[in-house]
């Protein structure tokens, strides 16, 4: 899988994989401040990025952060998810209200489950 992160001011970026401890792999700079690395990673693998030898930081584009917004990311296999919404065709946009919610800051826990408990607040 290809790991990519934008870190334009870093002089070195390492992919940190959690597996029986933590192992770091040097990433290569590409264009416009991005860093990349092709590395085998199975679903469930925990990972983060280290900038210039610092503490591992979460992936800002991770699909899953099981330990919250400051925890390691987790590799997800989207093809393995049994989607059940193939018949849904959306709703008409006229008269709708769109609200962008940042799950990591909407609640103290920073999780989808905690946000669900507060959705009535938004409706009101």
């Amino acid at each position: 899988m290809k790991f990519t992160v934008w870190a334009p001011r870093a002089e070195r970026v390492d992919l940190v994989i959690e597996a029986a401890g933590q192992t770091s792999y040097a990433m290569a700079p590409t264009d416009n401040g991005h860093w990349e690395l092709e590395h085998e990673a199975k679903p469930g693998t925990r990972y983060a990025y280290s900038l210039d030898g610092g503490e591992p930081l979460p992936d800002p584009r991770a699909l899953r952060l099981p330990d919250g917004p400051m925890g390691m990311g987790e590799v997800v296999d989207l093809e393995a998810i049994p989607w059940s919404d193939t018949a849904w065709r959306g709703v008409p946009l006229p008269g709708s209200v769109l609200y962008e919610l940042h799950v990591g800051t909407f609640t103290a826990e920073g999780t989808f489950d905690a946000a669900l408990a507060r959705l009535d607040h938004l409706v009101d």
Side-chain angles (χ1 to χ4, degrees), residues 17-121:
I17 298 286
E18 181 183 78
Q22 292 183 351
T23 306
S24 296
Y25 302 92
M27 299 181 76
T30 63
D31 61 333
N32 299 320
H34 289 89
W35 297 75
E36 292 182 347
L37 177 67
E38 287 278 346
H39 185 77
E40 183 177 338
K42 296 179 180 174
T45 299
R46 299 286 183 98
Y47 72 97
Y49 298 112
S50 171
L51 308 182
D52 297 324
E55 289 295 314
L57 300 170
D59 180 355
R61 299 184 331 172
L63 295 178
R64 180 161 159 69
L65 293 166
D67 299 320
M70 294 311 295
M72 295 182 99
E74 183 177 282
V75 174
V76 175
D77 179 6
L78 295 176
E79 298 297 321
I81 296 173
W83 299 105
S84 61
D85 58 354
T86 56
W88 188 71
R89 296 294 175 242
V91 297
L93 285 180
S96 297
V97 174
L98 302 180
Y99 185 87
E100 183 175 341
L101 173 74
H102 187 282
V103 173
T105 60
F106 186 63
T107 67
E109 299 84 0
T111 65
F112 282 113
D113 288 336
L116 282 173
R118 296 196 55 212
L119 290 182
D120 287 341
H121 166 76

